[in-house]
Amino acid sequence: MAQGAGTPMGGFEHYPALIRTEHPACTVCIANYNGATMLHDCLTSVFTQQGDISIEVIVHDDASTDDSLTSLREKFPQIEVLASDVNVGFCISNNRMVSHARGTYVLFLNNDAALFPDALLTLLAAAKLQESPGILTLPQYDWQTNDLVDRGCLLDPFYNPIPNLDPARTEVAMVIGACLFMPRMLWNELGGFPEWMESIGEDLYLCCLARLRGDVVIALAESGYRHRRGATFSGARDDATQLVTTFRRRRLSERNKTAVMVICTPTLLMWPLLMLHLLLLLCEGIVVAVAKWDWRIWGEIYVAAVRGIWTMRRQLLSSRQAIQRIRRSTPSNYAYAFRPVAYKLLMLFRHGMPRVSR
């Protein structure tokens, strides 16, 4: 199971807000690392939301080396700041913030994103209409082009996210962590983000776990948020027509997606799926390394990801046993949001070989 939200790893300074709402409807949690140039847009979009909504805002600064902390204290004294003295990663950052949160709902918002003016009203209205609690998101739009990026995501058999663009389809497999909204009570029941994941794939894990429990994952058709995709956490992004990523992101992405497959795939189908996935993953690594003429890609991304799964095998199998015991969703219901396509292959045809940098 996921580690608790209070797992100690590195100290942090706590800067309480000057004024805190006693019982906020929503706590907005923003993880920040060297995002000084983006925080103003993000926070301004939160504080200019329509409607009379009681909110609190918490920012966890992950040992930034820019002037993020100075800027936050000078321009936004009304927010609560948790300033870590060591870089602990996205998962621990968010777990810490929720442990300080008091809102009925929590909204996880990337520092490189900005909400539409009616975003919180839309999310809160939809949440109050739900018969049972679930995870919600809004349509994601590209920061520069304003093109629709996704309305949540479906998954291929190997847990690669497939952007959903259909406004009529609201129930999805997962929502991107750049804008993820849910009741704080549900977050606590799910156990938060697994801290061993570091910074990639935690949204996939949380949504898959929720769906196994029978909770819904919904992408609303209204409102939205703009996102500078790939601006933080060494993110993958479209650079014109080519995909751009990093060694670290690719390694964590492949390791963590595989871990979610092991933990969450119901029935014994997990084993043949896992074997096929690992074989294809290593073959992919050879092809990319040969195409780029860089064997570090093979060793430091693909072999390292498989080695990480092997090293964690006991922990993953223990988590699988615990989670599958509480599964309320049938295998067919869980599989509803999967699509029988090889999404990575489609991306290869569309964009060609990715550019991988340090």
Side-chain angles (χ1 to χ4, degrees):
M1 297 289 285
Q3 290 177 276
T7 303
M9 185 178 294
F12 61 90
E13 295 178 276
H14 181 203
Y15 297 87
L18 295 181
I19 301 174
R20 300 189 67 196
T21 305
E22 188 63 30
H23 299 290
C26 180
T27 298
V28 181
C29 298
I30 302 170
N32 178 68
Y33 175 69
N34 286 350
T37 60
M38 299 176 289
L39 278 169
H40 183 272
D41 289 334
C42 177
L43 288 167
T44 299
S45 79
V46 174
F47 288 119
T48 56
Q49 285 293 294
Q50 296 173 358
D52 185 17
I53 303 172
S54 59
I55 63 171
E56 68 172 350
V57 179
I58 303 177
V59 174
H60 183 282
D61 185 80
D62 205 10
S64 292
T65 56
D66 65 5
D67 63 347
S68 289
L69 284 175
T70 300
S71 177
L72 286 170
R73 293 165 189 160
E74 291 179 354
K75 298 178 181 178
F76 298 97
Q78 68 271 49
I79 69 173
E80 183 174 355
V81 178
L82 306 179
S84 181
D85 57 10
V86 294
N87 190 277
V88 295
F90 190 73
C91 292
I92 291 177
S93 296
N94 281 286
N95 287 346
R96 283 179 174 175
M97 285 188 284
V98 181
S99 71
H100 283 257
R102 297 179 304 159
T104 304
Y105 298 92
V106 288
L107 171 64
F108 301 96
L109 185 66
N110 271 21
N111 64 351
D112 57 359
L115 298 172
F116 285 13
D118 61 343
L120 284 179
L121 277 178
T122 302
L123 288 165
L124 287 167
K128 291 175 182 177
L129 291 175
Q130 288 186 303
E131 295 182 1
S132 58
I135 297 175
L136 304 178
T137 194
L138 300 167
Q140 176 185 188
Y141 293 88
D142 184 83
W143 189 275
Q144 293 182 319
T145 66
N146 289 321
D147 291 338
L148 177 66
V149 176
D150 67 58
R151 301 176 185 272
C153 293
L154 307 176
L155 296 172
D156 77 2
F158 305 111
Y159 284 74
N160 295 301
I162 305 172
N164 169 50
L165 302 177
D166 183 0
R169 183 186 183 103
T170 57
E171 189 168 347
V172 294
M174 66 167 291
V175 307
I176 302 301
C179 180
L180 190 155
F181 178 91
M182 63 194 300
R184 184 161 55 95
M185 177 184 66
L186 178 58
W187 165 274
N188 291 330
E189 291 175 359
L190 294 174
F193 288 149
E195 296 179 351
W196 50 265
M197 281 188 158
E198 299 180 44
S199 295
I200 306 293
E202 68 290 326
D203 44 11
L204 172 65
Y205 167 85
L206 199 71
C207 291
C208 287
L209 175 55
R211 294 184 61 248
L212 280 173
R213 285 172 21 113
D215 302 314
V216 294
V217 178
I218 299 294
L220 303 178
E222 303 82 16
S223 192
Y225 68 102
R226 297 168 61 219
H227 187 202
R228 296 180 177 96
R229 293 181 294 154
T232 57
F233 302 112
S234 302
R237 64 187 186 275
D238 296 342
D239 187 0
T241 59
Q242 186 180 30
L243 290 177
V244 181
T245 187
T246 65
F247 274 70
R248 176 177 178 269
R249 182 180 178 87
R250 291 304 309 146
R251 174 179 59 81
L252 287 176
S253 176
E254 298 301 348
R255 186 198 70 173
N256 292 347
K257 282 187 298 186
T258 306
V260 176
M261 177 188 298
V262 172
I263 293 171
C264 294
T265 305
T267 77
L268 294 176
L269 174 65
M270 186 274 290
W271 292 108
L273 183 64
L274 175 64
M275 294 302 104
L276 177 60
H277 168 67
L278 293 177
L279 176 62
L280 292 176
L281 190 63
L282 292 174
C283 290
E284 175 189 325
I286 293 174
V287 171
V288 176
V290 170
K292 296 293 183 181
W293 204 244
D294 187 351
W295 285 99
R296 294 174 303 171
I297 293 175
W298 158 255
E300 295 181 30
I301 296 177
Y302 293 92
V303 173
V306 174
R307 186 187 300 119
I309 292 297
W310 175 254
T311 301
M312 298 168 57
R313 64 191 184 280
R314 291 188 177 87
Q315 176 186 350
L316 296 179
L317 291 175
S318 175
S319 295
R320 173 180 174 81
Q321 291 174 356
I323 287 172
Q324 294 297 327
R325 278 198 298 266
I326 64 173
R327 173 168 60 87
R328 296 194 295 264
S329 177
T330 65
S332 60
N333 285 340
Y334 181 74
Y336 170 72
F338 285 75
R339 289 295 175 265
V341 297
Y343 188 67
K344 272 190 178 181
L345 195 58
L346 293 177
M347 294 296 284
L348 177 64
F349 289 144
R350 184 180 303 169
H351 298 284
M353 287 289 176
R355 188 168 82 236
V356 187
S357 65
R358 288 288 179 177

